[in-house]
């Protein structure tokens, strides 16, 4: 077995010598890199002494001294990872480094003196290494737990390597403390363990390139480190107790000792998972190790998570529930101020507020607007001078079960109040409680304001949609009125013409159908979707031209190619009618409007050309297709061309306009054929 141990320590010595050369060859001048070289050199020396001790047979104390320096060097390396030191001088003057070195030096001196004075009884040395390795584990746990993801990625191989050796040594020396001697089966394995963890050390030295790892120590880190320290101390005490039982127990000593240690482990696990113990420990740490009672970063993230994940019927209920949870309360309400005399209870759970409390709300809101303070009713009862100028009916508040009153501000504007009652485990609000509650109230106020703004925006959009629908319906009514007006205009001249009479009945029938459709849309508060049908475009255009030729200038068909299209006939008729009407209105009576229908393989083109006043490029770009923008004064609504563009684009078509001022305008309506859809 000694030969196996010698081989292990020798391999460790050779491996760490090579590692040292690699580190030196890297020529990294950072303090962390330099101290890594120091730690690796001390580990190399410790491995060499261990191998030599096996071969030469000298005292084990020299190897243990080297081990003491090795543990300290790696612990200091872990401490350096949490600093921004750049030189050895800064290292030596750093408070945490000096504190560790001082305590380490005192422990080493005291234990070695005790060993020397007690004729080299190594029990104190074993205890020394138990403490040093446990201390190293605590430092490594703090470093890893408080690091962010990027830093963890860089240091986790280092932590695993150092923690593995520390845990192994802790177990070995704990056993040695109980039986009074080192188990050399463990001892001879240490060289192989040192070699096994070396690749992890190499990986970390490659990942930590800038030589600096900055860590923030939070309450959680201190809490879990305290748990680890307590567990280590507890196990050490139980090990000593087991050793005493084994020593005085005679034949049954070993059995009782093992049973006692197993029972101790069960008790430890039970204590660690007990929520009350963990909560008390957190409170103790918060009171004695930190200036602030709350970890505001965690409180803020927790608040955001609750806002995102809490399910409730309304955002008022959600905000009230979150505020109640901060005070561990079971009753609460959210009251919105409408004015100084009227308040609106947006949500209430367990608090039945009546009109008799309105006057009290007035006094409270006026006070909160002036002072911005959180009101503790029980504190007001004990010390009213804390709330000067507050007119509070204490009996009334207590009868309604109100304990804490938290004002809600949105920006600098007062919004309302959180009324909280039935608060458990709360004796008195201190300044930290008030700061936290005010910050939570501020965030919840913004949350409520945002949701109220969303509700108003949604309502505004509904009104806007209804107004837009009404505008289009009025436009349809205007077209119907224009058709009926044409009948009256031509009635006196053509009333005896049978063809005119037939056209009149046809026009009235069409107008009646369109009016019925408009009334249906108004009742349903939405525009009904019309059904598509296959239409003959030349026939539709001739019908539109015939209707428009009752006005001047004349509309002529210049070119007409055969074409069919599946779309809404009524809508397309209205669009073409409006575009031709606009062309007539823009042209002098003695000119003409020309219509062309072209059909190729993929597209149908309808061109409407006039010789009127034309339009500027700026007008076409910024005003022509803008809804409710008209050049006709009260005679137009400004939605005809906009509606035409919307319809044409809805069937995958497009409208293009070319115009020259004082020369004329051409509208080109391009519509896709059925074959173009198939392709």
């Amino acid at each position: 077995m000694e030969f196996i141990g010698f081989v292990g320590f020798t391999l460790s010595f050779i491996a760490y010598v090579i590692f040292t050369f690699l580190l030196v060859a890297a020529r990294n001048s950072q303090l962390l890199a330099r101290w890594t070289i120091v730690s690796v050199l001390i580990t190399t020396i410790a491995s060499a002494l261990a191998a030599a001790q096996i071969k030469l047979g000298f005292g084990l104390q020299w190897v243990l001294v080297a081990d003491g320096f090795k543990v300290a060097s790696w612990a200091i390396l872990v401490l350096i990872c949490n600093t921004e030191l750049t030189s050895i001088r800064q290292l030596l003057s750093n408070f945490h480094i000096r504190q560790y070195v001082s305590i380490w030096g005192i422990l080493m001196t005291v234990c070695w003196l005790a060993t020397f004075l007690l004729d080299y009884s190594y029990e104190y040395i074993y205890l020394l290494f138990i403490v040093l390795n446990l201390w190293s584990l605590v430092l490594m746990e703090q470093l890893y737990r408080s690091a962010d993801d990027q830093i963890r990625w860089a240091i986790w191989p280092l932590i695993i390597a150092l923690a593995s050796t520390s845990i192994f040594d802790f177990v070995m020396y704990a056993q040695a403390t109980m039986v009074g001697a080192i188990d050399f089966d463990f001892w001879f394995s240490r060289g192989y363990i040192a070699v096994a963890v070396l690749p992890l050390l190499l990986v970390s030295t490659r990942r930590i390139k800038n030589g600096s790892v900055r860590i923030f120590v939070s309450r959680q880190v201190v809490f879990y480190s305290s748990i680890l320290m307590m567990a280590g101390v507890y196990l050490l005490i139980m090990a000593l107790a087991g050793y005493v039982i084994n020593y005085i127990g005679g034949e049954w000593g070993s059995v009782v000792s093992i049973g006692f240690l197993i029972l101790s482990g069960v008790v430890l696990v039970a204590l660690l998972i007990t929520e009350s113990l963990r909560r008390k420990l957190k409170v103790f740490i918060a009171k004695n190790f930190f200036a602030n009672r709350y970890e505001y970063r965690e409180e803020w993230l927790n608040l955001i998570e609750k806002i995102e994940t809490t399910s409730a019927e309304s955002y008022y209920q959600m905000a009230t529930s979150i505020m109640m949870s901060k005070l561990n309360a079971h009753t609460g309400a959210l009251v919105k101020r409408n004015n100084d005399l009227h308040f609106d209870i947006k949500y209430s759970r367990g608090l039945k507020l009546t009109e008799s409390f309105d006057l009290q709300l007035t006094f409270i809101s006026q006070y909160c607007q002036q002072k911005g303070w959180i009101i503790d009713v029980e504190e007001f009862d004990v010390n009213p001078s804390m709330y000067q100028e507050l007119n509070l009916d204490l009996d009334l508040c207590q009868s309604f079960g109100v304990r804490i009153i938290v004002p809600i501000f949105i920006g600098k504007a007062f919004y309302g109040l959180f009324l909280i009652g039935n608060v458990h485990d709360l004796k008195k609000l201190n300044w930290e409680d008030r700061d936290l509650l005010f910050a939570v109230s501020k965030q919840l106020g913004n949350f409520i304001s945002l949701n109220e703004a969303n509700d108003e925006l949604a309502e505004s959009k509904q009104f806007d949609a209804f107004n837009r629908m009404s505008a289009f319906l009025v436009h349809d009514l205007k077209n119907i009125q224009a058709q009926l007006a044409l009948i009256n205009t031509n009635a006196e001249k053509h009333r005896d013409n049978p063809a005119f009479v037939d056209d009149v009945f046809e026009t009235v029938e069409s107008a009646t159908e369109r009016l019925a459709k408009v009334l249906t849309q108004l009742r349903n508060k939405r525009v009904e979707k019309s059904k598509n049908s296959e239409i003959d475009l030349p026939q539709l255009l001739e019908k539109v031209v015939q209707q428009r030729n009752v006005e001047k200038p004349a509309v002529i068909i210049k070119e007409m190619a055969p074409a069919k299209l599946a779309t809404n006939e009524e809508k397309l008729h209205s669009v073409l009618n409006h575009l031709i009407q606009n062309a007539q209105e823009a042209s002098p009576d003695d000119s003409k409007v020309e219509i062309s229908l072209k059909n190729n393989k993929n597209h149908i083109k309808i061109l409407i050309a006039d010789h009127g006043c034309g339009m500027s490029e700026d007008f076409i770009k910024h005003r022509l297709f803008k809804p409710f923008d008209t050049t006709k004064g009260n005679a137009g609504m400004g939605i005809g061309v906009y509606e035409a563009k919307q319809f044409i684009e809805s069937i995958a078509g497009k409208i293009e306009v070319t115009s020259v001022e004082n020369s004329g305008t051409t509208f080109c309506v391009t519509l896709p054929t059925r074959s173009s859809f198939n392709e």
Side-chain angles (χ1 to χ4, degrees):
M1 195 66 187
E2 290 184 355
F3 177 74
I4 294 175
F6 174 76
V7 171
F9 286 120
T10 302
L11 289 175
S12 174
F13 168 74
I14 296 172
Y16 279 85
V17 167
I18 297 173
F19 188 26
T20 303
F21 281 117
L22 290 175
L23 293 174
V24 173
R27 296 183 179 181
N28 191 334
S29 60
Q30 297 289 340
L31 176 62
L32 186 59
R34 291 181 177 181
W35 194 261
T36 303
I37 296 175
V38 172
S39 301
V40 172
L41 278 174
I42 295 176
T43 305
T44 305
I45 295 171
S47 298
L49 285 174
Q53 188 273 333
I54 296 174
K55 198 68 176 175
L56 302 178
F58 55 80
L60 194 63
Q61 64 267 26
W62 298 107
V63 182
L64 294 176
V65 170
D67 267 2
F69 281 95
K70 181 185 73 174
V71 173
S73 65
W74 288 112
I76 292 173
L77 180 71
V78 173
L79 286 171
I80 292 174
C81 288
N82 194 29
T83 64
E84 295 178 345
L85 307 178
T86 58
S87 65
I88 296 296
R89 180 176 297 177
Q90 291 180 347
L91 173 69
L92 296 177
S93 62
N94 182 266
F95 170 76
H96 299 289
I97 302 296
R98 293 172 64 181
Q99 183 184 53
Y100 178 86
V101 172
S102 299
I103 297 175
W104 173 84
I106 292 172
L107 290 175
M108 286 282 288
T109 303
V110 170
C111 290
W112 278 105
L113 282 176
T115 300
F116 177 76
L117 294 175
L118 296 175
D119 196 20
Y120 293 101
S121 177
Y122 287 101
E123 286 81 1
Y124 293 100
I125 300 299
Y126 303 152
L127 287 173
L128 168 67
F129 280 101
I130 290 175
V131 172
L132 291 181
N133 283 288
L134 178 60
W135 194 356
S136 296
L137 288 171
V138 170
L139 293 176
M140 285 182 275
E141 195 273 342
Q142 287 181 344
L143 174 64
Y144 185 77
R145 185 175 293 279
S146 58
D148 58 29
D149 292 338
Q150 183 177 0
I151 295 175
R152 284 184 179 182
W153 175 82
I155 65 173
W156 74 261
L158 172 68
I159 297 299
I160 291 177
L162 299 182
S164 300
T165 56
S166 294
I167 292 172
F168 183 86
D169 287 352
F170 180 86
V171 173
M172 182 184 70
Y173 286 116
Q175 184 188 35
T177 302
M178 288 189 292
V179 300
I182 290 178
D183 185 341
F184 279 93
D185 290 341
F186 279 90
W187 180 265
F188 293 145
S189 302
R190 297 175 76 230
Y192 296 99
I193 292 176
V195 174
V197 302
L198 183 58
L200 296 173
L201 296 176
L202 179 60
V203 170
S204 269
T205 57
R206 297 292 296 173
R207 289 182 177 181
I208 306 175
K209 295 179 180 180
N210 61 353
S212 177
V213 181
R214 183 62 180 166
I215 305 298
F216 169 72
V217 180
S218 65
R219 283 178 171 81
Q220 290 294 102
V221 173
V222 175
F223 170 71
Y224 286 107
S225 298
S226 301
I227 289 288
L228 181 60
M229 179 67 78
M230 289 171 56
V233 173
Y234 175 85
L235 289 174
L236 179 60
I237 294 173
M238 293 301 102
L240 291 175
Y243 171 73
V244 173
I245 293 174
N246 187 28
Y247 181 76
I248 64 176
E251 294 183 7
W252 292 91
S254 299
V255 177
V256 175
S257 176
I258 294 173
F260 176 77
L261 290 176
I262 293 174
L263 179 62
S264 301
V266 173
V267 173
L268 175 63
V269 172
L271 289 174
L272 293 181
I273 64 176
T274 302
E275 185 62 29
S276 60
L277 175 65
R278 296 163 66 89
R279 186 163 52 248
K280 290 179 180 179
L281 181 59
K282 286 184 178 180
V283 172
F284 176 80
I285 291 171
K287 286 183 177 180
N288 297 279
F289 292 93
F290 286 89
N292 297 323
R293 178 178 178 181
Y294 297 102
E295 187 75 71
Y296 284 95
R297 177 178 175 273
E298 291 183 6
E299 294 289 345
W300 189 257
L301 293 176
N302 183 41
L303 174 61
I304 294 173
E305 182 182 1
K306 284 187 176 181
I307 290 175
E308 293 176 344
T309 59
T310 301
S311 58
E313 295 180 359
S314 68
Y315 48 87
Y316 298 115
Q317 178 182 352
M318 183 184 297
T320 308
S321 299
I322 292 173
M323 180 58 73
M324 289 167 56
S325 68
K326 291 298 178 183
L327 288 165
N328 194 21
H330 297 291
T331 60
L334 192 158
V335 179
K336 181 179 180 180
R337 171 185 172 272
N338 295 327
N339 53 55
D340 286 338
L341 298 177
H342 297 91
F343 297 85
D344 187 8
I345 301 174
K346 292 297 183 180
Y347 175 75
S348 177
R349 188 173 79 186
L351 291 182
K352 297 181 179 180
L353 303 175
T354 63
E355 293 182 357
S356 60
F357 200 69
D358 286 352
L359 182 60
Q360 195 62 55
L361 288 174
T362 299
F363 295 144
I364 293 171
S365 65
Q366 290 174 349
Y367 177 80
C368 289
Q369 287 180 73
Q370 295 174 0
K371 301 293 186 179
W373 286 2
I374 295 172
I375 301 172
D376 185 346
V377 175
E378 290 191 4
E379 185 180 50
F380 178 85
D381 184 21
V382 175
N383 189 6
S385 60
M386 291 287 294
Y387 300 91
Q388 295 182 2
E389 303 178 11
L390 173 60
N391 186 1
L392 187 67
D393 189 335
L394 190 63
D395 294 334
L396 187 63
C397 290
Q398 292 176 345
S399 66
F400 281 102
V402 177
R403 166 68 194 278
I404 303 295
I405 303 169
V406 183
I408 307 172
F409 288 91
I410 300 175
K412 293 184 178 180
F414 178 75
Y415 176 87
L417 301 165
F418 284 114
L419 305 179
I420 309 298
N422 196 14
V423 181
H424 294 285
D425 301 327
L426 179 64
K427 295 181 179 179
K428 181 181 177 182
L429 291 177
N430 60 24
W431 65 271
E432 288 183 295
D433 297 323
R434 294 175 184 273
D435 279 353
L436 177 65
L437 293 178
F438 192 80
V440 172
S441 172
K442 193 80 172 176
Q443 180 70 4
L444 292 177
N446 292 331
F447 167 72
I448 294 170
S449 175
L450 178 62
N451 281 275
E452 287 184 339
N454 287 336
D455 288 347
E456 293 176 1
L457 181 61
E459 185 177 339
S460 176
K461 285 183 176 180
Q462 289 178 338
F463 278 110
D464 181 61
F466 186 78
N467 291 335
R468 286 165 62 91
M469 183 196 71
S470 301
F472 287 118
L473 293 178
V474 170
H475 184 264
D476 288 342
L477 290 174
K478 184 170 74 81
N479 291 335
I480 296 171
Q481 185 271 338
Q483 285 181 306
L484 297 176
L486 284 174
I487 295 175
N488 293 330
T489 302
N490 296 289
E492 187 173 343
K493 184 186 298 185
H494 302 286
R495 69 173 62 235
D496 297 327
N497 187 343
F500 174 75
V501 174
D502 292 338
D503 287 340
V504 168
F505 280 109
E506 184 180 346
T507 302
V508 171
E509 182 181 1
S510 174
T512 302
E513 291 177 356
R514 296 182 69 179
L515 280 173
K517 182 179 179 181
V518 168
L519 291 174
T520 302
Q521 291 171 352
L522 285 172
R523 290 191 199 101
N524 297 335
K525 298 180 182 179
R526 61 184 177 87
V527 177
E528 293 184 347
K529 294 183 178 180
S530 302
K531 295 182 179 179
N532 294 340
S533 61
E534 188 172 68
I535 59 176
D536 187 284
L537 284 179
Q539 184 179 347
L540 179 66
L541 273 173
E542 288 175 357
K543 185 177 179 181
V544 175
V545 168
Q546 183 181 0
Q547 290 181 350
R548 293 311 317 164
N549 270 332
V550 298
E551 300 284 345
K552 292 182 179 180
V555 181
I556 63 172
I557 297 176
K558 185 177 179 181
E559 180 182 351
M560 187 72 73
K564 291 187 177 182
L565 183 69
T567 186
N568 179 258
E569 181 177 0
E570 181 183 350
K571 198 70 176 176
L572 183 58
H573 180 284
S574 177
V575 166
L576 295 175
N577 182 78
H578 182 80
L579 293 178
I580 295 173
Q581 179 185 352
N582 283 353
Q584 287 178 300
E585 292 175 351
S587 304
D589 291 345
D590 57 351
S591 66
K592 58 185 177 180
V593 175
E594 298 174 344
I595 308 297
S596 299
L597 174 60
K598 300 179 180 181
N599 188 0
N600 58 29
K601 182 180 179 181
N602 296 320
H603 296 92
I604 299 169
K605 287 191 176 183
I606 302 173
L607 289 88
I608 303 170
D610 65 64
H611 302 281
C613 60
M615 296 176 287
S616 66
E617 184 178 348
D618 182 73
F619 182 87
I620 295 173
K621 184 177 181 180
H622 296 102
R623 296 185 58 188
L624 178 60
F625 297 107
K626 185 178 180 181
F628 311 111
D629 187 353
T630 180
T631 59
K632 301 177 183 179
N634 294 330
M637 299 190 63
I639 62 172
V641 179
Y642 171 77
E643 185 181 20
K645 184 174 184 292
Q646 293 293 309
F647 172 72
I648 296 301
E649 290 181 348
S650 71
I651 58 175
K654 64 179 179 178
I655 293 183
E656 296 175 298
V657 183
T658 57
S659 183
V660 179
E661 291 187 84
N662 302 318
S663 179
T665 302
T666 299
F667 276 81
C668 178
V669 178
T670 304
L671 301 172
T673 62
R674 184 178 301 172
S675 60
S676 65
F677 281 115
N678 294 334
E679 291 176 1

